[in-house]
Amino acid sequence: GLSLGTNIIAESIPFIKKPQAIVLSGPCIIGQQYPVNNFLKPATHTHVLFAERASEQDVGSYAKEVMFGPDEEVTKSFINGYYTTSGIFRSVFAKALNDQKYNDEVELLKQYGSPILLIFGKDEKILYPEYLDNSGLNLWNNCVIRFQMPAIS
């Protein structure tokens, strides 16, 4: 899973056949000990994920924070995708997080026991890449992968 897709994987765990391993890239899984406020960095544009409708400038800024390169076509596609997603979904999502109406995804993954490969960029712009270091997850090779992003011109 990638980014928010890691939450879908964690939530699905109780309902699927146990995989041999799980790969979570740029995970943002949540739990009682891992609420969103503890791993999202301040001064980012993550508020667009929870706003019914954010400004195009803020959505574009968020896109550039989460994307690998400054490709304007990809940024435009990201912005268009944002506006085709229901704003009501985002506001309900925000309320569920605020009211802590979610499963403890970290605990679900721990209980399932499959080895988990966690992959982060060393210079993550949105979240702290070390936030799951002491989570007790069954880490593949007992480590978290943090890679250095190559310079982009």
Side-chain angles (χ1 to χ4, degrees):
L2 174 64
S3 190
L4 288 173
T6 63
N7 303 92
I8 294 168
I9 288 174
E11 295 284 344
S12 301
I13 284 295
F15 309 102
I16 62 173
K17 181 181 172 187
K18 184 176 179 177
Q20 290 183 349
I22 299 169
V23 177
L24 303 177
S25 181
C28 51
I29 56 176
I30 55 181
Q32 294 303 316
Q33 302 298 314
Y34 301 91
V36 173
N37 295 355
N38 285 15
F39 61 83
L40 286 181
K41 290 182 175 182
T44 62
H45 292 84
T46 54
H47 67 277
V48 303
L49 296 172
F50 313 112
E52 195 162 319
R53 184 167 179 87
S55 73
E56 188 170 327
Q57 180 178 355
D58 282 352
V59 176
S61 294
Y62 174 73
K64 289 175 182 169
E65 289 169 351
V66 298
M67 291 190 308
F68 180 64
D71 186 317
E72 288 304 315
E73 287 303 311
V74 174
T75 302
K76 286 179 189 175
S77 177
F78 186 100
I79 292 169
N80 289 336
Y82 177 87
Y83 290 115
T84 59
T85 302
S86 169
I88 295 169
F89 168 79
R90 286 189 294 274
S91 62
V92 169
F93 180 52
K95 182 167 177 23
L97 287 175
N98 188 56
D99 296 346
Q100 295 184 336
K101 292 188 177 181
Y102 50 80
N103 290 317
D104 189 326
E105 296 169 351
V106 174
E107 194 59 36
L108 286 172
L109 290 166
K110 284 167 62 173
Q111 290 173 5
Y112 215 59
S114 293
I116 299 171
L117 173 60
L118 294 179
I119 304 170
F120 290 98
K122 284 184 180 177
D123 301 319
E124 292 280 347
K125 295 178 184 174
I126 297 294
L127 55 83
Y128 297 105
E130 59 284 328
Y131 91 95
L132 292 169
D133 283 3
N134 299 310
S135 64
L137 291 170
N138 180 20
L139 296 177
W140 175 79
N141 276 351
N142 221 11
C143 70
V144 176
I145 305 297
R146 292 186 185 88
F147 61 91
Q148 185 66 45
M149 302 293 283
I152 300 172
S153 55

